[in-house]
Amino acid sequence: MATEITIDTGTNELLCVIRDRVAIITLNRPDVRNAMSDELTPALRNMIKACGENPDVGALLLTGAGTAFCAGGNVKGMGAHRDPKRLAMSYDEKVADLQERQRLLTGALVSVRKPTIAALPGPAVGAGLALAMACDIRIAAESAFVSTGYLRVALSGDYGIAWLLTRLVGTSRARELMFTADKVEARRAEAIGLVNRVVPDAELQQAAFALAKSMAEGPTLALRYMKDNLDEALLFDFTTARDHEAERLVRLTTTADHKEAVQAFIDKRKAVFKGN
C-alpha cells in the first residue's frame, strides 16, 4: 500500500501530500471556488518551489477542493476591501510587486523540471486559468469550464495568461477568448487544445493521479531534458533546437536509467528508474 506523507503548507487553505512520488497540491477554499488569497497564494508559491526541488517528488499534481479548480483573484479585494499596504504603494512599487508575485507563481511552475499536471474539477478562471496553463498537462472533469475572465472586471490579464494562451490555442483563438471572456465548456476546451483530456467527474482525481504516477515513475533526467527540448521548440530555430536535442540525448546515453531501460527491454520487464 502506498505511503502518504502530509506536508505542512502553513495554512489550511492549501493542502499537500506526497504519494508514490507524486506531490498532490490542493487549493482548499471551496466556499469561494478556491480563489487566491493572501494565505493561499504565498503557500502555493512555497509548495511549487519545495516540491519542484524535492528529489523524492517525480511529478506535481495541482487541483482544487470541491467543484472548482481556481476562480482566480479575489474580486472583492479589488474594491472597497483592498489591501491598505498595496494601496499605499507607488505605481512603480505596485508593478514590481506584481512582477515578483508572478515570477514566483506561474513563473516558478513553468520552470519546474518535472512533469506538472492540473486536474480541473470545475472552473478555472482568470489567474486560475493561467495557473492551469502553466502546467504541462490539463485534465478536466466533464462539468468543468474555463474563462479568461479579465474583461468582466475591466482588466487586461496577468500571470502570463496571454503568452500561455497564445501558445496553447494560437493567436486568433487567444484573442477571441481574451476579448470575450466566454465560458468554454470542457469538451470545447479539449477540441481547441486548451485541455488535454476530459473525463467523467467521478473519475477525475483517479485519472489525473494515475497519469502523474506513471510520469513520476519515469526516468527523471530524460523527462527533465524533454521539458528543456519542448521549451526550446518555442524559442529557437530548428537547427539550434535540433543541436541541443543531440547534446542532451548523448548525455543521457551514459546514465544508469538508460542502461536499466535497455536491459528491461531485453528482459521483457518493467524498468525501475532511480533518477541517475
Side-chain angles (χ1 to χ4, degrees):
M1 192 169 180
T3 301
E4 185 170 283
I5 300 170
T6 300
I7 307 299
D8 182 8
T9 69
T11 174
N12 290 331
E13 293 188 0
L14 187 75
L15 310 177
C16 181
V17 298
I18 298 174
R19 186 194 317 147
D20 289 336
R21 287 181 48 80
V22 177
I24 306 170
I25 302 172
T26 305
L27 283 61
N28 190 39
R29 301 183 74 214
D31 53 321
V32 289
R33 292 189 167 188
N34 303 316
M36 294 181 182
S37 75
D38 290 340
E39 284 192 29
L40 187 155
T41 312
L44 180 57
R45 294 188 197 110
N46 291 338
M47 281 302 101
I48 290 169
K49 183 176 188 296
C51 294
E53 295 174 352
N54 187 342
D56 294 326
V57 171
L60 278 64
L61 173 58
L62 269 64
T63 191
T67 57
F69 177 71
C70 178
N74 177 9
V75 176
K76 288 183 179 179
M78 299 173 188
H81 303 287
R82 285 180 180 174
D83 181 350
K85 291 181 181 177
R86 292 214 173 103
L87 279 174
M89 289 179 177
S90 69
Y91 170 80
D92 289 342
E93 287 171 336
K94 289 175 182 176
V95 170
D97 176 64
L98 179 55
Q99 289 173 337
E100 180 70 356
R101 286 185 285 124
Q102 292 178 151
R103 183 182 70 81
L104 295 173
L105 189 56
T106 49
L109 189 53
V110 167
S111 296
V112 169
R113 294 295 87 186
K114 301 169 182 178
T116 56
I117 297 170
L120 280 56
V125 179
L129 176 57
L131 184 66
M133 291 193 297
C135 292
D136 296 311
I137 293 171
R138 286 149 297 287
I139 301 181
E142 285 181 334
S143 65
F145 68 86
V146 303
S147 173
T148 57
Y150 291 96
L151 184 76
R152 302 187 188 281
V153 289
L155 293 175
S156 55
D158 55 5
Y159 288 93
I161 191 166
W163 191 95
L164 294 163
L165 191 61
T166 298
R167 277 155 181 75
L168 280 176
V169 302
T171 185
S172 178
R173 188 74 72 187
R175 288 164 194 266
E176 174 195 351
L177 297 178
M178 289 299 295
F179 295 166
T180 65
D182 280 349
K183 179 191 288 190
V184 182
E185 305 292 347
R187 287 296 178 190
R188 182 179 176 229
E190 182 184 30
I192 65 176
L194 200 43
V195 303
N196 299 76
R197 301 180 187 178
V198 176
V199 299
D201 289 25
E203 298 175 16
L204 174 68
Q205 299 301 338
Q206 182 180 356
F209 179 77
L211 180 60
K213 182 175 181 288
S214 71
M215 294 179 180
E217 292 173 345
T220 305
L221 288 173
L223 286 163
R224 178 191 183 101
Y225 286 167
M226 283 179 190
K227 288 195 73 165
D228 290 342
N229 290 340
L230 291 162
D231 286 348
E232 289 187 0
L234 297 170
L235 302 173
F236 298 149
D237 61 85
F238 176 61
T239 300
T240 303
R242 186 192 62 208
D243 288 349
H244 288 183
E245 279 187 345
E247 292 172 15
R248 293 184 180 110
L249 186 137
V250 171
R251 280 189 216 131
L252 288 169
T253 62
T254 67
T255 63
D257 276 354
H258 170 64
K259 294 179 176 64
E260 162 64 9
V262 172
Q263 191 60 51
F265 179 83
I266 294 169
D267 296 342
K268 296 182 180 179
R269 59 174 174 81
K270 183 179 179 180
V272 179
F273 298 113
K274 296 183 179 178
N276 55 25

